[in-house]
Amino acid sequence: MIYGATNVLDRALRRRGFAPTHHMIPVPLSFDPKGECGRLFGNHLTMMMFSLTREDLADERRAIASLAEQQRAIVRDKLDLAMSAALDLVRVLPPRLYHGLATLPFGGEFSSLIFSNPGQIAIEDFAGVPVVDAYAVPSVVPWPGIEVIVNRHRGALSVLLGYFDGLVPETEARRMLAELRAALFGEDI
């Protein structure tokens, strides 16, 4: 999914005349044990930062191998725990200051898109009423202005492409959604 979503974004950027050498993709990682989150609101997470190069995007197997190796390195080097401490520190900062600190080391935006797959949503009923469908809908952050959220509930998979109006025109977002659907399901556009 990360590979497909990043490829869709890369095509959109190339249509705009911009072809970055690589994409940075922050992926939230929950500290909750699988299937054991008892709260309805809030989270207990950290971020993993992945990178896909232009060469990775040209070869799906290479991209998947690169993502797997990056994930192993993040866990091995305990970067997930270090990122959690950093997130705790910046949580109290005003948004403008946080954005400045986050983008300073990169000389610009620190990610190409935000990708999230929070796992199975474990809610069977709400206020005594059975829940038929459930999915997370976080607010879209203005930087970078595009996010792909994957949810699972009762065996069903849903994919949400969120975009920040003004940065991404609706027509472009609809095209990206069609391209993502085609990538995930092998459909023609």
Side-chain angles (χ1 to χ4, degrees):
M1 294 245 186
I2 294 172
Y3 170 76
T6 307
N7 251 323
V8 166
L9 175 74
D10 186 67
R11 283 194 298 276
L13 290 174
R14 284 187 284 135
R15 284 191 294 269
R16 290 182 173 196
F18 180 66
T21 58
H22 72 282
H23 292 277
M24 293 293 294
I25 307 107
V27 177
L29 171 67
S30 176
F31 283 128
D32 292 324
K34 289 190 185 270
E36 291 187 25
C37 176
R39 68 184 165 279
L40 183 58
F41 301 105
N43 55 42
H44 182 215
L45 57 79
T46 187
M47 297 293 270
M48 295 185 295
M49 294 296 285
F50 290 98
S51 175
L52 286 175
T53 65
R54 181 133 318 280
E55 293 78 22
D56 293 333
L57 292 176
D59 181 347
E60 184 175 6
R61 287 178 190 234
R62 176 184 167 141
I64 292 170
S66 174
L67 291 168
E69 177 51 37
Q70 289 176 64
Q71 183 174 6
R72 283 191 293 275
I74 288 167
V75 172
R76 179 185 61 240
D77 298 339
K78 298 184 179 0
L79 296 177
D80 51 347
L81 300 175
M83 181 61 87
S84 178
L87 289 172
D88 284 342
L89 175 68
V90 299
R91 182 181 328 239
V92 297
L93 296 178
R96 290 175 82 80
L97 182 57
Y98 166 77
H99 184 256
L101 288 173
T103 57
L104 185 65
F106 301 102
E109 297 303 332
F110 65 92
S111 68
S112 300
L113 76 152
I114 294 176
F115 181 90
S116 180
N117 183 352
Q120 179 74 19
I121 297 175
I123 183 170
E124 299 303 319
D125 63 83
F126 181 74
V129 178
V131 174
V132 178
D133 194 4
Y135 49 93
V137 185
S139 61
V140 180
V141 294
W143 308 285
I146 193 87
E147 59 192 19
V148 176
I149 311 296
V150 179
N151 293 281
R152 291 185 303 275
H153 181 257
R154 292 189 178 195
L157 183 73
S158 64
V159 178
L160 169 84
L161 183 128
Y163 64 96
F164 196 80
D165 196 23
L167 291 178
V168 180
E170 183 178 350
T171 55
E172 187 173 30
R174 288 185 182 280
R175 181 174 182 173
M176 291 172 71
L177 186 57
E179 289 176 353
L180 183 58
R181 183 177 177 87
L184 295 177
F185 299 112
E187 297 175 349
D188 293 327
I189 297 178

